[in-house]
Amino acid sequence: MNFSDSEIVASVLSDIDYCSTKNADEADIVFVNTCSIREHAEQRVRNRLRELKLLKKQKPLLLIGLLGCMAERLKTKLLDEEKCIDIVAGPDAYRNLPDLIRTAIEGKKAINVFLSPEETYADISPLRYENNGISAFISIMRGCENFCSYCVVPYTRGKERSRNAETIINEATELYKNGFREITLLGQNVNSFKCQENGLFFDFPALIEKVALINSSLRIRFATSHPKDMSDELLKVIAKYPNICKSIHLPLQSGSNNILELMNRKYSRDWYMNRIESIRKYIPECAVSTDIISGFCSETEIDHKDTLSLMEWAGFDHAYMFKYSERPDTLASKKYKDDVPEEVKSRRLQEIIDLQHSLSHKSNKKDVGKVFEVLVENESRRSKDFLSGRNSQNKVIIFPRKDFIPGDYVNIKVSRCTSATLFGEIV
Ligand code: 5AD
Ligand code: SF4
């Protein structure tokens, strides 16, 4: 999401003749795009600001801007707390950056943290400044109104709004023409995408089908799906089109009904299991990944065991796993006590990570001997003689270079694996 936002910011800035550099030493402005989802994310931003403060001492004319969720959450407090910051812009204020920069150049602090119920940046063509030229993200909606009790996103990114479908299809078509071969449709909950235009109604299944039809050699991925809204209709569309990748990210958060209720996730353990069964029914070869939070308020050993048993049952291919981090002003911070001791959170998280490690390894071992179509992405990090790409299931596969270049499709037979990577030979 943030990466996608940075590409919009780069586009707005290029219109006023700024170009990007990776080297902060040669920059006139440094923008830090921020995330507030866990305290740790905010801490890293504070550390980065400390480094930038030193740089500003050497380059007094350097402007420092803070973008995104942390800007939205802390607003003017940031300007008081971090004296080196000149510009604060929330997620819906990026069009206003040229004015904010002008104000800052005049020596005044500049801030815009208004959240808009409409802004989707639909007409701004993202500047894909740090890209392999093969894979790109397209943001199809912004904001979230699910109000999971632990989550800061509804407060920092505002109301849910879908982008106009035609602009999404045009952007994907343009990317394909420019050599891109994989796009990921992004939103906090893509399953609730909806858009009405010229008498036509698009929901997410209709949108993804349209995008898949652009060209059969353009791969389509999407993230994230909320289990409460994951429909069989969508699964049928994924099954129908070979170029819609067989990989679904379906955040579980917890396997305990009690905790799911407190988290305000609006589904039960049984509902989640039913969604997994549907995925297996319509798309047997589909990989499923998830997000898990350990140590949410009042979580008992039994709740934790429910999470482990559900992970085992689902056999997730991959997971992002976190310790619960209380965020100010969320429902959980107001209603519940963050009462699971730090060492218990850590121990439970480690058990979750260990289990996922073995599940990923088991899943990868099942792929040994199978042939997958791989989209070539990069040179392997370890050796120039090998290339790296991913299969439809989003698993990384390393294979001998031969004459292939990024953007090619190549069939690879998997010969061995680790828990994180598949290795194979060209067939
Ligand atoms: N603490 C820990 N993890 C969180 N997530 C969201 N909010 C929190 C929080 N307060 C995790 C969820 C979500 C992912 C993007 O981040 O698992 O799916
Ligand atoms: Fe946060 Fe829940 Fe919205 Fe995801 S669906 S962004 S976890 S409130």
Side-chain angles (χ1 to χ4, degrees):
M1 222 62 196
N2 267 12
F3 186 73
S4 185
D5 272 17
S6 294
E7 293 183 333
I8 288 169
V9 169
S11 176
V12 171
L13 296 182
S14 77
D15 286 346
I16 51 166
D17 297 332
Y18 281 91
C19 61
S20 71
T21 167
K22 278 188 181 170
N23 184 359
D25 286 338
E26 61 181 28
D28 297 310
I29 313 181
V30 176
F31 282 112
V32 185
N33 198 352
T34 61
C35 166
S36 288
I37 206 135
R38 282 168 290 276
E39 196 189 342
H40 178 67
E42 289 200 358
Q43 206 46 55
R44 279 176 43 207
V45 172
R46 301 272 183 182
N47 295 343
R48 180 82 183 111
L49 286 173
R50 218 161 292 142
E51 289 165 23
L52 290 174
K53 206 160 129 189
L54 295 177
L55 186 64
K56 201 164 174 163
K57 280 216 173 102
Q58 295 158 23
K59 291 179 62 173
L61 292 181
L62 178 73
L63 295 180
I64 297 176
L66 205 109
L67 310 174
C69 288
M70 209 171 151
E72 195 59 54
R73 196 176 82 70
L74 293 167
K75 303 185 171 61
T76 49
K77 231 169 126 188
L78 262 174
L79 294 173
D80 298 337
E81 288 172 3
E82 304 282 354
K83 300 278 182 250
C84 65
I85 296 179
D86 304 287
I87 299 167
V88 172
D92 289 342
Y94 300 148
R95 282 180 203 272
N96 191 217
L97 279 172
D99 285 341
L100 295 173
I101 292 171
R102 237 165 273 134
T103 306
I105 289 174
E106 286 165 10
K108 290 180 262 179
K109 300 280 180 187
I111 178 163
N112 183 342
V113 287
F114 289 113
L115 283 177
S116 148
E118 280 124 32
E119 180 63 273
T120 60
Y121 301 113
D123 57 318
I124 294 182
S125 177
L127 197 124
R128 309 198 184 266
Y129 62 97
E130 220 175 71
N131 199 285
N132 62 3
I134 307 299
S135 309
F137 295 107
I138 300 184
S139 173
I140 64 165
M141 55 203 296
R142 297 182 72 81
C144 180
E145 283 167 53
N146 284 312
F147 289 96
C148 300
S149 65
Y150 50 80
C151 186
V152 77
V153 169
Y155 307 93
T156 57
R157 301 189 75 95
K159 276 188 166 305
E160 180 186 292
R161 58 224 110 116
S162 296
R163 196 175 144 185
N164 172 294
E166 197 183 329
T167 66
I168 298 169
I169 295 158
N170 290 346
E171 190 174 328
T173 308
E174 205 50 37
L175 284 166
Y176 180 74
K177 282 191 196 147
N178 290 331
F180 285 80
R181 289 295 171 263
E182 180 179 77
I183 56 167
T184 304
L185 305 177
L186 279 184
Q188 304 293 349
N189 177 13
V190 291
N191 306 91
S192 59
F193 176 89
K194 49 183 170 308
C195 152
Q196 184 125 33
E197 58 193 41
N198 309 326
L200 287 174
F201 177 75
F202 284 88
D203 56 8
F204 188 61
L207 176 76
I208 198 169
E209 182 157 28
K210 272 269 183 211
V211 179
L213 285 167
I214 290 172
N215 195 292
S216 60
S217 61
L218 178 65
R219 273 186 173 181
I220 323 296
R221 298 186 185 278
F222 60 95
T224 293
S225 295
H226 194 304
K228 77 178 166 65
D229 300 318
M230 160 61 79
S231 68
D232 285 1
E233 196 195 344
L234 174 63
L235 298 177
K236 287 180 202 164
V237 174
I238 299 172
K240 185 171 165 194
Y241 292 93
N243 60 327
I244 303 184
C245 289
K246 307 302 181 244
S247 154
I248 295 178
H249 187 64
L250 200 65
L252 168 64
Q253 313 302 1
S254 168
S256 151
N257 277 333
N258 292 338
I259 297 297
L260 287 171
E261 173 93 34
L262 295 181
M263 285 178 162
N264 194 29
R265 287 290 286 175
K266 304 184 187 96
Y267 57 84
S268 63
R269 181 183 168 93
D270 278 354
W271 173 274
Y272 189 92
M273 290 167 87
N274 171 276
R275 293 297 74 217
I276 297 280
E277 278 166 351
S278 249
I279 294 173
R280 304 275 180 245
K281 175 175 148 196
Y282 291 109
I283 325 166
E285 74 278 31
C286 195
V288 182
S289 58
T290 199
D291 291 349
I292 306 233
I293 299 177
S294 86
F296 185 67
C297 312
S298 81
E299 186 188 72
T300 62
E301 272 322 298
I302 295 171
D303 295 323
H304 171 58
K305 292 260 156 40
D306 281 349
T307 298
L308 295 175
S309 71
L310 189 38
M311 288 174 69
E312 187 122 37
W313 177 87
F316 293 120
D317 298 273
H318 179 73
Y320 297 99
M321 300 155 283
F322 315 101
K323 261 191 274 186
Y324 172 57
S325 161
E326 187 179 80
R327 308 309 297 130
D329 301 324
T330 54
L331 293 175
S333 76
K334 289 182 197 157
K335 277 169 73 177
Y336 312 124
K337 222 170 143 213
D338 182 12
D339 55 359
V340 178
E342 188 56 30
E343 63 277 13
V344 176
K345 279 186 190 172
S346 299
R347 193 253 303 149
R348 288 182 189 163
L349 178 64
Q350 197 53 53
E351 288 175 11
I352 288 167
I353 292 172
D354 291 345
L355 173 58
Q356 186 52 50
H357 194 264
S358 78
L359 292 176
S360 299
H361 206 180
K362 209 159 140 188
S363 154
N364 281 356
K365 278 195 244 170
K366 275 200 238 156
D367 290 339
V368 174
K370 290 188 194 163
V371 175
F372 292 103
E373 185 180 61
V374 172
L375 174 62
V376 182
E377 285 173 45
N378 303 307
E379 202 168 77
S380 155
R381 258 180 283 160
R382 297 249 172 95
S383 161
K384 277 194 184 132
D385 301 332
F386 289 83
L387 292 173
S388 156
R390 275 172 302 146
N391 64 5
S392 176
Q393 286 74 8
N394 211 16
K395 291 187 178 179
V396 173
I397 307 193
I398 309 287
F399 54 94
R401 174 185 276 272
K402 291 273 171 59
D403 293 330
F404 296 106
I405 55 165
D408 287 346
Y409 283 102
V410 48
N411 285 329
I412 302 292
K413 184 170 184 176
V414 177
S415 52
R416 66 186 179 90
C417 70
T418 64
S419 64
T421 314
L422 302 174
F423 298 86
E425 301 299 329
I426 297 155
V427 289

